[in-house]
């Protein structure tokens, strides 16, 4: 009855732990140790297990049909045995398929699954997970370092570094640099390096490029022991058409839509999951829960959500099928995402479920019971596009594009946003982050410091792709490694020092993260100074303490920049991107700036500060402004 119950859940689309039942698992039968195998192939004529142990001979180790599921037991097979399923379709063709629920795989270019027992790893991250549960992301600092494991760093001979050595180096680096989390481009097994993991074949297998599944568990555990959250990019939006993968698994459309107007993403050369098929939902729910539960992953960034939501996404010439109401919304995908997020929060109430959603779809980060998709964070792609456009402009023309740095506040609190400067911004001839800035390299470094200060000060959580913190010259090369040699140069050493110290400042300054998703944490002081390319605003913590953030996107220095301010006694400088220790000239206020009884910008009092070219300064409001007598106020006005 238990097995029948499992099958029922699978066919109903409610199975969320499918990896425990499907795939290959150690077992004992009639006193012999071996492995049970179980696979879904609804239209197959026959399924057998093939591998090194039987010379890949179809039919030598047949599985028995139990409805749409095939299962069997094979004795005496050692761990790491390579295997596939030989699936004979109704057309008579035999397709050798990797195990959809396999835990381990051969290393590309080989494509078989490998027998592996994931049980027994000794986790030591309990204290970290308890602490995480007590600090909700909404009122905590979140500064994500996005990493592609294959190209962050390589061995001297160009080989990949394994999970354990990567964990040691990366944890030490990320901790030293002050990031609070890493986000990994997909580690799910994938055949082609150039896909960066976004076209995967192993939804339950960490790529073997860097080691075994337990090696990856060690990686996550080590990150947690160093206080670092681990987020994974996860791809339920499409899958590759490699022969060994999910593609036409039993000779029919199993995992993909049968409707040709839904089935393919032609531009990506991939197939689209059938979100209306219960068995496919069970597969994807199980994959998401698997990483959260078995690998202690802290969150999933769900890739290409927009492509799931719209039936006409990137479909040319009207080749798409409307929903039952005639609209272009994919109702099945919407329901899938809501159920996915509900399941994820039941698995781990502190999980981060992050949507890469590039449109204005409403309520992405609101609960399903109020019509939302149920994510708790969303990448702010509009802000990213505006900023990349602005940063590449000649400074003279920025005055005509001032909305690029202010428009985001029109919708900043409509969702719980992450501000992403990701891998997508440094590939395909887009150049590096520093390379987007105007002027020579020294000037570009100055611009990068000012921009990063603006990113940390803007409402929302933060994400930056690896390499920007060392002033990476070249755009990202997924086949190589970061330009670590730049750290032989004093100016790049100073840049890394800047990133280290401003990240530390961010973490200790509650005004920059405690109220990220509400107007209570933000106030414009100067939003409209397009002629000077300056914005000034306040960030505020829960106790109402203010941090003034002034950012200058022009090449001019401002020695007496006046703005209306709340009635503090003074503003004390607490961070300056132009500090000589970071490669700057030291321009900025070194002493407290006194507030004066001079009306400005609609406020009764004001302050005048110094702002460096292409730089940013942060000042903390202190004390209470003494209410001036009328005669004193008149004299102050005469001075101006």
């Amino acid at each position: 009855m238990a097995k029948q119950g499992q099958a029922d859940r699978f066919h109903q689309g409610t199975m969320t732990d499918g990896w425990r039942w499907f795939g290959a698992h150690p077992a004992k039968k009639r006193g012999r140790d071996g492995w049970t195998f179980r696979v879904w192939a609804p239209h197959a004529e026959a399924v057998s297990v093939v591998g090194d142990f039987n010379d890949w001979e179809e039919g030598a180790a047949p599985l028995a049909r139990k409805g749409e599921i095939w299962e069997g037991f094979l004795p005496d097979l050692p761990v790491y045995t390579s295997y596939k399923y030989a699936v004979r379709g109704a057309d008579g063709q035999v397709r050798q398929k990797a195990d959809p629920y396999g835990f381990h795989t051969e290393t590309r270019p080989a494509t078989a699954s490998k027998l592996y027992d994931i049980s027994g790893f000794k986790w030591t991250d309990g204290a970290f997970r308890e602490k995480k549960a007590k600090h909700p992301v909404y009122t905590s600092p979140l500064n994500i370092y996005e990493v592609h494991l294959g190209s962050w760093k390589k061995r001297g001979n160009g080989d990949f570094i394994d999970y354990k050595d990567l964990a040691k180096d990366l944890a030490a680096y990320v901790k030293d640099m002050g990031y609070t989390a890493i986000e990994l481009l997909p580690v799910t097994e994938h055949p082609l390096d150039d896909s960066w993991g976004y076209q995967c074949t192993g939804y339950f297998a960490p790529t073997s490029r860097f080691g075994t599944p337990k090696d990856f568990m060690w990686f996550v555990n080590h990150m947690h022991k160093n206080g670092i959250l681990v987020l994974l990019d996860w791809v339920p939006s499409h899958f590759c058409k490699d022969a060994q993968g999910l593609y036409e698994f039993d000779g029919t459309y199993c995992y993909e839509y049968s409707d040709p107007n839904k089935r393919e993403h032609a531009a990506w050369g991939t197939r689209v999951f059938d979100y209306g098929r219960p068995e496919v939902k069970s597969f994807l729910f199980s994959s998401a829960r698997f990483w959260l539960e078995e690998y202690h992953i802290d969150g999933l960034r769900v890739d290409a959500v927009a492509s799931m939501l719209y039936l006409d996404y990137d479909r040319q010439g009207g080749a798409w099928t409307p929903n039952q109401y005639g609209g272009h919304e994919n109702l099945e995908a919407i329901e899938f995402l809501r159920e996915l997020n509900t399941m994820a929060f039941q698995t781990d109430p502190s999980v981060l479920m992050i949507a890469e959603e590039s449109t204005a779809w409403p309520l992405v980060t609101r609960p399903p019971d109020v019509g939302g998709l149920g994510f708790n964070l969303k990448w702010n792609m509009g802000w990213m596009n505006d900023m990349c456009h602005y940063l590449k402009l000649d400074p003279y023309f920025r005055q005509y594009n001032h909305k690029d740095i202010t428009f985001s506040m029109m919708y900043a609190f409509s969702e719980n946003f992450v501000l992403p400067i990701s891998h997508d911004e440094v590939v395909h001839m887009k150049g590096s982050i520093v390379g987007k800035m105007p002027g020579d390299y020294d000037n570009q470094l100055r611009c990068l410091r000012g921009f990063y200060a603006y990113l940390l000060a803007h409402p929302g959580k933060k994400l930056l792709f690896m390499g920007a913190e060392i002033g990476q010259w070249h755009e990202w090369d997924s086949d190589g490694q970061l330009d670590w040699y730049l750290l032989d140069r004093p100016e790049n050493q100073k840049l890394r020092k800047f990133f280290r110290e401003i990240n530390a400042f961010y973490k200790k300054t509650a005004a920059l993260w405690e109220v990220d998703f509400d107007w209570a944490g933000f106030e414009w002081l100067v939003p409209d100074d397009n002629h000077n390319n300056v914005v000034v605003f306040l960030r505020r913590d829960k106790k109402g303490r203010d941090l003034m953030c002034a950012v200058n996107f022009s090449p001019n220095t401002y020695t007496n920049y006046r703005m209306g301010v709340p009635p503090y006694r003074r503003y004390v400088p607490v961070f300056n991107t132009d500090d000589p220790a970071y490669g700057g000239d030291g321009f900025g206020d070194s002493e407290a700036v006194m507030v004066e009884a001079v009306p400005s910008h609609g406020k009764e009092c004001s302050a005048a500060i110094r702002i460096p070219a292409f730089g940013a300064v942060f000042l903390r409001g202190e004390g209470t402004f003494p209410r001036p007598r009328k005669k004193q106020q008149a004299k102050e006005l005469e001075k101006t």
Side-chain angles (χ1 to χ4, degrees):
M1 290 299 294
K3 290 184 179 179
Q4 184 59 44
Q6 297 279 44
D8 288 343
R9 290 196 301 129
F10 175 67
H11 292 306
Q12 291 164 5
T14 59
M15 175 176 274
T16 64
D17 60 349
W19 75 91
R20 303 189 201 280
W21 195 53
F22 285 103
H25 297 273
K28 180 172 286 192
K29 192 171 183 180
R30 298 188 185 93
R32 297 182 69 181
D33 290 327
W35 298 75
T36 59
F37 294 83
R38 192 171 287 111
V39 64
W40 177 58
H43 299 102
E45 293 293 321
V47 179
S48 58
V49 182
V50 296
D52 296 331
F53 58 92
N54 62 10
D55 296 324
W56 303 91
E57 180 184 346
E58 184 215 349
L63 299 181
R65 178 193 286 274
K66 300 290 180 68
E68 295 184 354
I69 297 166
W70 300 77
E71 59 184 44
F73 173 83
L74 294 178
D76 305 327
L77 296 180
V79 173
Y80 299 117
T81 296
S82 296
Y83 73 98
K84 287 184 178 180
Y85 296 114
V87 182
R88 180 177 292 276
D91 57 1
Q93 183 178 342
V94 176
R95 298 165 177 83
Q96 289 197 359
K97 294 289 188 177
D99 191 340
Y101 290 83
F103 296 140
H104 193 26
T105 64
E106 294 180 321
T107 303
R108 54 94 179 98
T111 59
S113 301
K114 299 178 79 169
L115 296 178
Y116 194 89
D117 182 3
I118 63 170
S119 66
F121 182 81
K122 297 188 184 306
W123 291 92
T124 59
D125 61 348
F128 170 84
R129 301 184 86 195
E130 288 178 13
K131 181 179 179 182
K132 178 187 72 167
K134 295 176 182 177
H135 294 85
V137 65
Y138 311 103
T139 55
S140 300
L142 181 63
N143 191 6
I144 304 166
Y145 186 64
E146 190 189 29
V147 179
H148 177 255
L149 287 179
S151 60
W152 181 68
K153 188 181 290 185
K154 287 189 171 167
R155 299 200 186 279
N157 62 2
D159 287 348
F160 290 131
I161 302 175
D162 60 73
Y163 284 123
K164 288 188 175 182
D165 285 345
L166 272 169
K168 295 171 187 175
D169 289 352
L170 187 58
Y173 183 81
V174 170
K175 188 174 182 178
D176 175 63
M177 291 300 296
Y179 296 99
T180 64
I182 59 169
E183 181 177 313
L184 303 181
L185 273 62
V187 298
T188 40
E189 191 58 87
H190 52 283
L192 181 66
D193 289 3
D194 288 347
S195 80
W196 313 329
Y198 290 100
Q199 296 190 16
C200 59
T201 52
Y203 277 78
F204 296 83
T207 177
S208 60
R209 287 167 173 80
F210 314 114
T212 69
K214 287 183 180 175
D215 290 339
F216 186 59
M217 291 177 183
W218 197 97
F219 176 100
V220 176
N221 191 61
H222 188 73
M223 288 292 166
H224 285 174
K225 288 169 66 176
N226 283 275
I228 301 164
L229 296 166
V230 181
L231 314 176
L232 295 188
D233 281 9
W234 183 68
V235 190
S237 49
H238 62 135
F239 58 90
C240 63
K241 297 196 292 185
D242 289 59
Q244 79 277 9
L246 303 177
Y247 172 75
E248 298 181 13
F249 192 80
D250 62 1
T252 67
Y253 306 120
C254 286
Y255 290 88
E256 60 267 77
Y257 278 111
S258 58
D259 183 341
N261 287 339
K262 297 180 179 179
R263 185 186 307 147
E264 293 232 10
H265 282 311
W268 299 340
T270 56
R271 286 285 169 89
V272 180
F273 282 106
D274 183 348
Y275 306 108
R277 189 160 194 173
E279 296 85 357
V280 175
K281 292 171 68 175
S282 288
F283 173 81
L284 290 172
F285 292 154
S286 295
S287 173
R289 180 178 168 187
F290 173 77
W291 296 104
L292 302 179
E293 197 164 296
E294 297 289 351
Y295 283 85
H296 291 199
I297 295 302
D298 302 292
L300 300 175
R301 178 267 200 183
V302 180
D303 183 61
V305 170
S307 74
M308 302 169 66
L309 293 173
Y310 297 97
L311 293 165
D312 58 348
Y313 182 89
D314 199 27
R315 299 188 185 279
Q316 308 303 318
W320 60 278
T321 301
N323 64 34
Q324 65 191 75
Y325 305 108
H328 67 161
E329 300 86 2
N330 189 330
L331 304 179
E332 298 164 349
I334 295 167
E335 187 60 27
F336 164 75
L337 289 170
R338 288 171 173 165
E339 293 177 9
L340 167 72
N341 287 316
T342 298
M343 180 275 298
F345 287 106
Q346 289 171 348
T347 302
D348 178 3
S350 63
V351 71
L352 303 184
M353 293 299 291
I354 308 168
E356 189 228 4
E357 201 287 306
S358 55
T359 74
W361 188 279
L363 305 178
V364 172
T365 57
R366 300 297 181 261
D369 60 6
V370 298
L373 293 182
F375 291 92
N376 57 354
L377 295 171
K378 172 186 171 175
W379 275 21
N380 192 336
M381 308 296 279
W383 174 87
M384 176 275 295
N385 282 312
D386 286 347
M387 286 311 306
C388 287
H389 174 260
Y390 186 82
L391 292 173
K392 289 184 286 187
L393 290 171
D394 182 290
Y396 176 80
F397 294 104
R398 288 178 173 177
Q399 63 184 308
Y400 306 114
N401 294 269
H402 195 69
K403 66 177 179 59
D404 284 349
I405 54 173
T406 60
F407 181 69
S408 58
M409 289 310 303
M410 298 294 289
Y411 60 88
F413 309 117
S414 62
E415 302 279 6
N416 300 333
F417 282 119
V418 174
L419 307 181
I421 298 296
S422 75
H423 63 280
D424 279 331
E425 283 65 76
V426 292
V427 290
H428 305 319
M429 306 302 292
K430 297 174 188 172
S432 66
I433 299 300
V434 74
K436 299 181 192 305
M437 310 296 176
D440 60 21
Y441 187 62
D442 287 342
N443 201 63
Q444 289 175 323
L445 293 176
R446 187 186 301 270
C447 293
L448 176 57
R449 296 195 302 269
F451 164 65
Y452 189 65
Y454 169 77
L455 183 154
L456 290 184
H458 190 290
K461 306 308 178 185
K462 325 298 177 187
L463 179 143
L464 187 71
F465 186 58
M466 63 184 195
E469 78 282 4
I470 62 171
Q472 178 89 6
W473 278 352
H474 306 101
E475 73 173 23
W476 173 45
D477 175 13
S478 62
D479 292 327
Q481 66 172 349
L482 296 186
D483 294 341
W484 293 111
Y485 60 84
L486 290 173
L487 292 177
D488 293 334
R489 298 161 50 96
E491 55 265 52
N492 296 86
Q493 294 171 13
K494 291 178 180 179
L495 179 70
R496 187 165 69 167
K497 177 181 176 67
F498 160 77
F499 271 87
R500 182 187 295 116
E501 295 191 0
I502 198 170
N503 284 345
F505 177 80
Y506 166 78
K507 284 201 299 183
K508 73 180 183 181
T509 307
L512 293 177
W513 42 261
E514 201 169 47
V515 191
D516 258 332
F517 305 130
D518 190 281
W519 277 107
F522 180 90
E523 181 185 345
W524 277 121
L525 295 182
V526 184
D528 55 356
D529 188 4
N530 63 302
H531 295 298
N532 289 313
N533 300 350
V534 170
V535 289
V536 188
F537 51 88
L538 298 177
R539 291 302 309 276
R540 195 169 280 130
D541 65 17
K542 283 185 174 181
K543 295 181 179 178
R545 293 173 297 196
D546 285 338
L547 180 73
M548 179 196 292
C549 308
V551 189
N552 176 14
F553 289 99
S554 85
N556 306 312
T557 57
Y558 299 109
T559 58
N560 191 36
Y561 193 93
R562 181 171 294 277
M563 83 243 31
V565 296
Y568 289 98
R569 179 179 293 274
R570 60 188 168 270
Y571 279 88
V572 177
V574 288
F575 200 91
N576 183 356
T577 65
D578 202 50
D579 191 308
Y582 309 144
D585 297 325
F587 186 88
D589 293 294
S590 56
E591 303 293 334
V593 176
M594 304 307 295
V595 175
E596 300 172 276
V598 178
S600 182
H601 295 83
K603 294 185 181 296
E604 294 184 358
C605 52
S606 61
I609 64 173
R610 295 158 62 88
I611 315 176
F614 293 125
V617 290
F618 297 157
L619 300 94
R620 184 177 61 246
E622 290 186 352
T624 302
F625 185 72
R627 300 298 298 178
R629 297 175 181 175
K630 288 186 178 180
K631 289 183 179 180
Q632 179 185 349
Q633 191 171 23
K635 290 181 180 179
E636 294 290 347
L637 285 170
E638 287 176 8
K639 292 180 183 178
T640 62

